Amino acid sequence: MKCFYHPDQDYHAPPTFLLRGQPAPSPEGPVRAELLSKGLAAAGLSLTAPSETDSPMLRKRLEQIHTPRYLRFLETIYERWQALPNAAALVAPNVHPCGGASHYPSHPVGQAGWHLHDMACPLSETSFQGALASAATAVAAAEEVMSGASLTYPPRAYALCRPPGHHAGPDNAGGFCLLNNAALAASVLREKFAKVAIIDVDLHHGNGTQDIFYSRGDVWTGSVHVDPSVFYPFFWGGVDEIGCEEGEGANVNLPLPLGSDGETYLNAVATLIEQLNRYQPEAVVVSLGLDVHKDDPLAGLSVETEAFVALGELLSGLSQPTVVIQEGGYPTEQLSANLAAFMRGYQRS
C-alpha cells in the first residue's frame, strides 16, 4: 500500500493552544509526523511525497468543500493581523459570533473570531503553507486510489496528514484542523465514483466533515466518537443528526460513553461499517484517529494498542477502493506502535 506525506506540513507548528483557559503546549506538531512515520516503517511501509503542495487544481478542489472567503482568510490573515497595533505573534481570536450572527466583519480580529471556532487552531506566518501540504497529501492518496495504480486490490492508499482536518467545516477551522483532508479526498473520489462514504473512527466527532456533506446524498458520513454531551466538540455528534434535504439518512453518529473500552469501541465500528455497506458506496474514505488509545493526551476512551490490529482488520473488510486519512493521535510512547498495529491488521487481507 502506498503512503504519502509531504514535509512542508512542518510549516504549521503552533507552540501552544488554549486548554481550559490556560496556555498549554500544543500536541499537534511536527513530532506527530515523526512518530507516525516510525509506525509505518515498523509495518514495512515507506512514504512518498506529493509532487507539489499548491496548484490551481488544488485550489479549485478546495473550493468544492470550503468557501472562497475562508480560503482567502487562511491565506491573508497573518499579514493583516501583524499590521494591527500590539498584535500577538500568532493569530488567535478574542471574540466569537454567538446567537446566529449574520454580519461578516471586515476587521481581522472579527474575521479571526468568525473563522477560528475555538482556541485550538492559532495561525502562524506559515500555517497556510503547512495546511496546503497536508491537503495535497490527501489528494495524492485519493488520486493513487482513483487511478488504479495501487498494487493492492481493492486499491488502497494512506495519507499522513497534519494538521488533521475533520473539525474544519466549509467556513471555519477548529480542533487543530484548518482544511478538511477527508472531505477533500472524498471530493476527488467523486470525480470518478458516483457514491462515496466517509467513516470516521477518531476519538472526536468529525463535525466539519458532517457539516460539509450534511445536505448531500452522494457522500455518506458516519462517525464513532465519545458522547459530545461531555466531550469535544460538544455541540455536534448526536444520534439525531441524520442529514437533511438530499442528505437525509446519509449521516450516522454513534456516540460512546466516556472511557469506553476497546471491545465497546470495536463493536461500534463494526455497526458503523454495517450502516456504511447499506449505503453501497463505490469508494470509501477512512478518517483514522489513533487518539482513542488510553494514553493519548486527549484521552476519552481506554483502547489498548492491540485493538488497533482488530480495527485494521475490520476496515480491511471493505471491498471498495479506500483512502485512509490520518486524523488524531497525539504524541505518546505508544503512538508509533498504534499505527504499526493498525497497518498490520489492515494489510492482512
Side-chain angles (χ1 to χ4, degrees), residues 164-240:
H166 70 153
H167 296 307
D171 203 37
N172 66 277
F176 305 134
C177 302
L178 304 182
L179 298 172
N180 196 309
N181 304 309
L184 180 60
S187 292
V188 173
L189 293 173
R190 276 286 291 110
E191 295 169 12
K192 179 176 181 178
F193 302 105
K195 294 170 67 178
V196 176
I198 302 175
I199 179 169
D200 191 326
V201 297
D202 188 272
L203 176 68
H204 307 91
H205 176 248
N207 57 300
T209 307
Q210 174 176 289
D211 194 14
I212 289 168
F213 297 112
Y214 202 64
S215 61
R216 289 174 53 172
D218 60 328
V219 179
W220 179 95
T221 49
S223 179
V224 171
H225 50 270
V226 175
D227 186 349
S229 298
V230 295
F231 207 71
Y232 186 90
F234 295 111
F235 311 112
W236 307 274
V239 294
D240 57 333

Side-chain angles (χ1 to χ4, degrees), residues 136-320:
T137 299
V139 168
E143 289 180 336
E144 172 77 10
V145 166
M146 196 164 60
S147 71
S150 170
L151 298 178
T152 60
Y153 187 83
R156 294 170 178 167
Y158 167 83
L160 199 172
C161 294
R162 68 144 304 271
H166 70 153
H167 296 307
D171 203 37
N172 66 277
F176 305 134
C177 302
L178 304 182
L179 298 172
N180 196 309
N181 304 309
L184 180 60
S187 292
V188 173
L189 293 173
R190 276 286 291 110
E191 295 169 12
K192 179 176 181 178
F193 302 105
K195 294 170 67 178
V196 176
I198 302 175
I199 179 169
D200 191 326
V201 297
D202 188 272
L203 176 68
H204 307 91
H205 176 248
N207 57 300
T209 307
Q210 174 176 289
D211 194 14
I212 289 168
F213 297 112
Y214 202 64
S215 61
R216 289 174 53 172
D218 60 328
V219 179
W220 179 95
T221 49
S223 179
V224 171
H225 50 270
V226 175
D227 186 349
S229 298
V230 295
F231 207 71
Y232 186 90
F234 295 111
F235 311 112
W236 307 274
V239 294
D240 57 333
E241 298 163 19
I242 61 170
C244 67
E245 300 172 7
E246 293 181 7
E248 185 172 350
N251 189 80
V252 178
N253 289 320
L254 298 180
L256 302 177
L258 184 67
S260 294
D261 61 13
E263 181 180 4
T264 302
Y265 170 73
L266 291 170
N267 286 340
V269 172
T271 299
L272 196 61
I273 290 173
E274 291 175 4
Q275 302 258 15
L276 179 155
N277 285 331
R278 288 180 199 145
Y279 177 73
Q280 297 183 320
E282 297 176 12
V284 175
V285 175
V286 175
S287 278
L288 175 63
L290 302 173
D291 45 2
V292 297
H293 188 264
K294 63 183 181 65
D295 293 332
D296 191 88
L298 306 179
L301 295 177
S302 54
V303 175
E304 301 277 355
T305 295
E306 282 307 307
F308 290 109
V309 177
L311 176 65
E313 290 173 343
L314 277 173
L315 291 168
S316 73
L318 294 169
S319 61
Q320 300 89 348

